[in-house]
Amino acid sequence: MKKLSIIIILTLVASLFVLPASAQGITWTTGFQVQNLGSADATVLIHYYNQDGTEPISAVADTIPALGSKTYYPVHAADGFNGSVVVESDQPVVAIANTLGNNPQYAASSESFSAGATSVKLPLIMRGNSGYYTWFNVQNASSTDASVSVEYIPGSSGSAHTEGPVVIKPGASHSFDQHDLTALGTTFVGSAVVSSDQPIVATVMQVGETYKNMMGYNGFAGGSDTVSLPLVMANNNGFYTAFQVQNIGTSSTGITVSYGSNIGGTFAPTDETATLAANESMTFFQNSGQFASDTYIGSATITSGGEPIVAIVNQVKMTGVVLGTAYNGFDPTAATEKVSAPLVMANNSGYYTGIQVMNVGGAPTDITVTYGPNLAGAFAPAQELATLAPGDSYNSIQNLGAWTGQTYVGSMTVEASAGGTIVMIVNQIWPAAPGDQFMTYDGFNY
């Protein structure tokens, strides 16, 4: 088998495990979806790793059809598994992991990795921030033991601290929980840098104890002087966003936030600016100031004065059933003509998805949305076509129009016209759930 590996952090657990280091008393479960981007059927091997580096079961072999996807829920490992996954394939594949806590109270989604780095940046880390805490898993992406340390950098509050080093076995992961890390101070809002002597990856979960929602994002191996955010909202039927920007450079830099066209109204936000010291992070809220009363649904572009930056976006609804989700901002120079989504749904036990595609190029582009085979029925979605100006976004929700009453579980690809560059996020939601069943993942450029 040609080894094309992807790495999936199962964010503390794959099945029925209570987070031991915190008082949150949450039972976690995880499922993951793997999409085959190749033109031939993919033969895959799925490896499970305990946190001590051992494999609880033999690698699981499977086949995924060309341009199709498969869901693994429950996972193959037995209840109590706490670890990570590596998928090998003879075709290019990508994957997402959906993590549930006290199902259906908490939910978050994260993407697979194709490789690691020796330094990973985490823009938002919290302890006791209005009841929010973070924890994150770091996975060793190499074939050699990794020595891993974490530097915590306070932003608006908290104390600087260094944790580690800890040794992580190849393929395995280690959990860092800020809930009981008193060295950070009673309230910590800031960022972190994870350093290793071997390539690593990291996934962060933001968990609310007071407002019971959860938001997950992946750590960044590097940054760029421009970051694209496909979906930013204010007063959108109770939903709004807040994004966290981190300067991962070695010097202070000014940043400017520019907002795209408003597809939800006439309000046109003005640019916002700030200055960030090296490794410092800052939050921009879309529920106060100029966003206090007007509706905005659009996109944002963040530019720096020359230092590399990264950003994450939290989408929240704090009234009624509290909802929360997060996604990673995009480096537009890494965007391509094609982007894929391993999991798209309509009427799937109450879940459906919505996509937001952003044109991050310098010229208008046409896009074509194509859906993969339906794993849950006979309904075959039609292609969708749109034209996007630079910096603008296209939205498609899989519970309206032709989707009404239809069941669909599958995958999706979006292609721009020649020379165009696009990025995409996918929101997954079960609006009738009694808890936070709202998850987001970044589309995969290829």
Side-chain angles (χ1 to χ4, degrees):
M1 175 186 295
K2 183 179 179 182
K3 186 176 180 181
L4 297 171
S5 297
I6 60 170
I7 303 160
I8 307 173
I9 297 183
L10 291 190
T11 51
L12 273 188
V13 297
S15 183
L16 298 178
F17 177 83
V18 178
L19 181 62
S22 84
Q24 292 164 299
I26 298 172
T27 300
W28 303 98
T29 61
T30 303
F32 59 97
Q33 294 77 26
V34 181
Q35 182 183 15
N36 176 9
L37 302 180
S39 57
D41 290 355
T43 301
V44 300
L45 278 177
I46 303 171
H47 299 267
Y48 290 84
Y49 292 94
N50 293 316
Q51 289 208 353
D52 63 4
T54 60
E55 296 188 54
I57 60 174
S58 299
V60 177
D62 203 358
T63 301
I64 301 174
L67 302 177
S69 62
K70 279 197 174 179
T71 298
Y72 300 97
Y73 181 80
V75 298
H76 307 94
D79 288 357
F81 173 71
N82 172 15
S84 50
V85 163
V86 175
V87 179
E88 296 180 13
S89 172
D90 59 357
Q91 295 291 319
V93 292
V94 293
I96 63 166
N98 285 340
T99 299
L100 307 176
N102 288 352
N103 190 19
Q105 182 59 68
Y106 298 98
S109 190
S110 56
E111 307 84 24
S112 63
F113 302 83
S114 59
T118 55
S119 180
V120 175
K121 285 73 176 180
L122 311 178
L124 182 56
I125 297 295
M126 297 180 287
R127 181 176 189 268
N129 180 27
S130 299
Y132 282 92
Y133 297 82
T134 52
W135 53 262
F136 57 88
N137 265 19
V138 177
Q139 184 178 8
N140 182 354
S142 77
S143 58
T144 304
D145 287 1
S147 179
V148 177
S149 298
V150 181
E151 179 187 4
Y152 295 96
I153 302 120
S156 60
S157 60
S159 301
H161 179 64
T162 299
E163 189 175 8
V166 298
V167 175
I168 305 177
K169 295 292 184 180
S173 61
H174 179 83
S175 303
F176 294 86
D177 181 14
Q178 290 73 61
H179 190 279
D180 296 328
L181 191 57
T182 57
L184 296 178
T186 303
T187 301
F188 181 93
V189 181
S191 57
V193 177
V194 186
S195 301
S196 171
D197 59 354
Q198 300 296 325
I200 54 171
V201 296
T203 293
V204 181
M205 292 291 162
Q206 311 165 66
V207 183
E209 289 187 342
T210 304
Y211 301 103
K212 295 185 181 298
N213 58 7
M214 183 167 74
M215 298 159 280
Y217 71 90
N218 282 348
F220 294 84
S224 55
D225 58 11
T226 302
V227 175
S228 301
L229 310 178
L231 181 56
V232 175
M233 299 179 289
N235 300 296
N236 179 25
N237 294 315
F239 288 89
Y240 68 91
T241 52
F243 50 85
Q244 188 90 356
V245 186
Q246 182 184 13
N247 172 13
I248 65 171
T250 57
S251 302
S252 293
T253 188
I255 62 170
T256 300
V257 180
S258 301
Y259 295 93
S261 300
N262 188 353
I263 63 176
T266 59
F267 169 61
T270 59
D271 290 355
E272 298 181 88
T273 60
T275 299
L276 298 178
N279 283 323
E280 184 183 8
S281 61
M282 180 179 291
T283 306
F284 292 80
F285 291 94
Q286 285 75 59
N287 71 332
S288 58
Q290 65 173 326
F291 294 100
S293 58
D294 289 312
T295 296
Y296 177 77
I297 306 171
S299 55
T301 301
I302 310 168
T303 55
S304 81
E307 292 295 304
I309 56 174
V310 296
I312 65 162
V313 179
N314 286 338
Q315 307 174 66
V316 295
K317 178 178 176 288
M318 306 302 285
T319 57
V321 176
V322 176
L323 303 176
T325 186
Y327 70 88
N328 287 46
F330 295 86
D331 173 3
T333 65
T336 57
E337 292 180 5
K338 294 182 180 180
V339 62
S340 73
L343 180 61
V344 176
M345 299 176 287
N347 298 298
N348 180 28
S349 299
Y351 286 95
Y352 65 88
T353 51
I355 66 164
Q356 190 91 354
V357 183
M358 182 179 182
N359 175 10
V360 298
T365 188
D366 297 325
I367 62 168
T368 303
V369 180
T370 303
Y371 295 89
N374 189 350
L375 306 179
F379 173 63
Q383 284 188 332
E384 299 170 24
L385 306 175
T387 300
L388 296 178
D392 285 351
S393 292
Y394 168 75
N395 177 259
S396 176
I397 301 176
Q398 284 74 57
N399 76 330
L400 303 172
W403 298 91
T404 304
Q406 303 290 348
T407 298
Y408 177 82
V409 179
S411 56
M412 169 202 288
T413 58
V414 184
E415 185 170 0
S417 51
T421 50
I422 54 175
V423 295
M424 176 176 68
I425 65 164
V426 180
N427 282 336
Q428 312 166 68
I429 190 167
W430 174 17
D436 173 32
Q437 293 299 295
F438 187 26
M439 300 165 280
T440 306
Y441 67 88
D442 288 8
F444 294 88
N445 286 93
Y446 69 105

